[in-house]
Amino acid sequence: MKKSDFSFDLPQALIAQAPLAERSASRMLVVPPGDAGYDDRQVRELPEFLRTGDLLVFNDTRVIPARLFGRKQGSGGRVEILIERLLPGNEARAQVGASKTPKPGNLIELDAGGVAEVVGRDGGFHHLRFHVDGALQAWLEKAGRMPLPPYIQREPGADDAERYQTVFAREAGAVAAPTAGLHFDEALLEALRDRGVETGHVTLHVGAGTFQPMRVDDVRDHRMHSEWINVGAALVEQVRRTRAAGGRVVAVGTTVMRAMESATVDGELHPFAGETAIFIVPGYRITSADILLTNFHLPESTLLMLVSAFAGRERVLSAYAHAVRQRYRFFSYGDAMLLHRND
């Protein structure tokens, strides 16, 4: 299997640069199972496609303002820092952009105040120790900038602090939003409750590695970045009850799917907290969810491969071609698609 098997032509104009005025006003491409035709709808119509007793599973991770700027102490060279993960002791793993890669012991004077000390290197990431006022996470909430994805060609504005965050975000630690969840507002959540649809949560702290391109041609040679997840006992019990009553499990986003599949052993979901580097490609049988709501993903990306494993590569790429023809909006601030598992 080659990464080129997951390529498609995407006009640059279809990459959404900003959110719509209303979250649930995004379009939703419904892709039924089998060969049935597509249905062009809106996310606010999602309750029509669910039924009493279904379970929607969200990722409740919260995006931290993880982008910082500064200068190397001494040379004055400009530096951009994107924190990938918070570590104990005001330390972090981060991507560091500079004309010359900083070495251990180098200091970076931050524009927002304080200093970042380069402690070491971990593959493509740097290990930094921050000398700032107070705890790093709390300091970032005041001093950091929202880390919009690299394909959004503008600086973050005041609205992004709210809109690049789900309304149910509560567990701080992500540097990218679980974007399928961005479509939900209180009105839609209330409509789902009125429909008798239950909701549950997992946590997956999306890392900066989610934007790194696959650098090998053979999919089998790719190594996934690691992310922290928590699938709690309460969610496991919700899934058990839903299945026993004949309801369906609906994963809201690929991050939810990755978390639940990582916590699945022999077809059964179990509580789990820890690291996952699961890589889901066609040929992998997904059992943790029956329906997937997801945004449109980058060509040749691991997320597109996951979606193809869920609903079938040809079916997914055909749906993407339809979405391009119909001028759907792509990626983080874009539209969504609703897929059924290909059994």
Side-chain angles (χ1 to χ4, degrees), residues 254-315:
T254 55
T255 62
V256 170
M257 187 78 76
R258 293 188 71 232
M260 292 201 299
E261 284 299 314
S262 298
T264 297
V265 180
D266 296 330
E268 293 291 331
L269 189 67
H270 297 273
F272 176 78
E275 301 289 327
T276 182
I278 192 170
F279 184 23
I280 299 174
V281 297
Y284 180 106
R285 185 171 184 272
I286 293 171
T287 61
S288 62
D290 308 293
I291 300 174
L292 171 66
L293 180 75
T294 182
N295 279 24
F296 295 93
H297 302 291
L298 288 161
E300 300 184 349
S301 65
T302 60
L303 300 182
L304 179 55
M305 294 172 192
L306 181 154
V307 175
S308 297
F310 183 76
R313 187 183 73 91
E314 293 183 3
R315 182 69 164 159

Side-chain angles (χ1 to χ4, degrees), residues 201-203 229-238 263 269-273:
H201 299 86
V202 299
T203 303
I229 67 171
N230 182 22
V231 178
L235 187 276
V236 172
E237 178 59 21
Q238 281 185 291
L269 189 67
H270 297 273
F272 176 78

Side-chain angles (χ1 to χ4, degrees), residues 3-16:
K3 70 176 182 180
S4 58
D5 293 334
F6 302 89
S7 182
F8 64 93
D9 293 325
L10 177 66
Q12 191 78 11
L14 297 187
I15 300 175

Side-chain angles (χ1 to χ4, degrees), residues 83-87 91-94 173 175 226-228 275:
I83 292 176
E84 200 272 340
R85 184 177 302 195
L86 298 174
L87 301 172
E91 297 184 359
R93 186 169 67 178
V175 299
S226 178
E227 294 170 312
W228 188 87
E275 301 289 327

